[in-house]
Amino acid sequence: LVGSEMCIRDSSQSLPSDTKLKVKLHPFEDELLTDQDVAVFSNIERLPREVPVYELLGLSKGLITDYSSILFDVAAIRLPVVLYQFEKDLYEADRGVYQEAVDDILFVVTTTASATVDELVAFQLDEAYEVFAQKYASHDQAFGYREVANFILAPNAAKAVSLLNGKETVLLFPGPLLDNGITGAFVNTLKSID
């Protein structure tokens, strides 16, 4: 969840003595950090590539991420979250962000490893977190997979949630949402329709 050797070193030095950081990179960045990069640190462990990150969330005490949408999933289980955005300007210029979603995110943003660790240790659940979790994860639950299985295997017994709003449902597929004029036009169109 931290993306460079310098960040790993700084994180290792900033961790409390009783804390271990488990690192799981985004698949696109996984090759940037080798097992040897992490092996020199006794308080940092690289998680195996084949282990899905969602299997680890229930065992975690908190999440350090940069821009990953996993923060919405973590909100469902009310884990502490700190956004470590040490290359924010570079990321926004290279990949772009959905500003409306970014404006809604209430988690603390840090730019140094030591500040990230301090904020994670000091994190307190509050009313704003509850509002965020209700908005983005109100239907999530610890055993949601059971409800999905029941819905598929015994649809009459499953509790269904309707997302319909009384209007005609239309599927729009703009393609891969690359940072180009097509995506810009699509986003602007969405803003103007009801």
Side-chain angles (χ1 to χ4, degrees), residues 63 65 67-75 81 83 105 107 132:
L63 175 72
T65 187
Y67 307 90
S68 175
S69 62
I70 196 171
L71 67 93
F72 294 100
D73 302 311
V74 167
V81 177
L83 304 178
I105 296 172
F107 302 112
F132 179 85

Side-chain angles (χ1 to χ4, degrees), residues 89-156:
D89 295 337
L90 180 64
Y91 184 91
E92 288 179 357
D94 185 45
R95 304 243 337 237
V97 295
Y98 296 108
Q99 193 58 47
E100 290 137 25
V102 169
D103 291 343
D104 232 7
I105 296 172
L106 56 93
F107 302 112
V108 173
V109 175
T110 61
T111 57
T112 67
S114 61
T116 302
V117 171
D118 291 346
E119 290 292 342
L120 196 59
V121 169
F123 189 93
Q124 296 289 317
L125 292 176
D126 58 15
E127 187 176 334
Y129 194 124
E130 273 304 314
V131 170
F132 179 85
Q134 285 301 314
K135 180 174 183 177
Y136 291 104
S138 62
H139 299 296
D140 289 351
Q141 53 188 288
F143 299 101
Y145 64 90
R146 289 182 186 160
E147 291 216 15
V148 172
N150 287 338
F151 184 78
I152 294 168
L153 301 173
N156 295 334

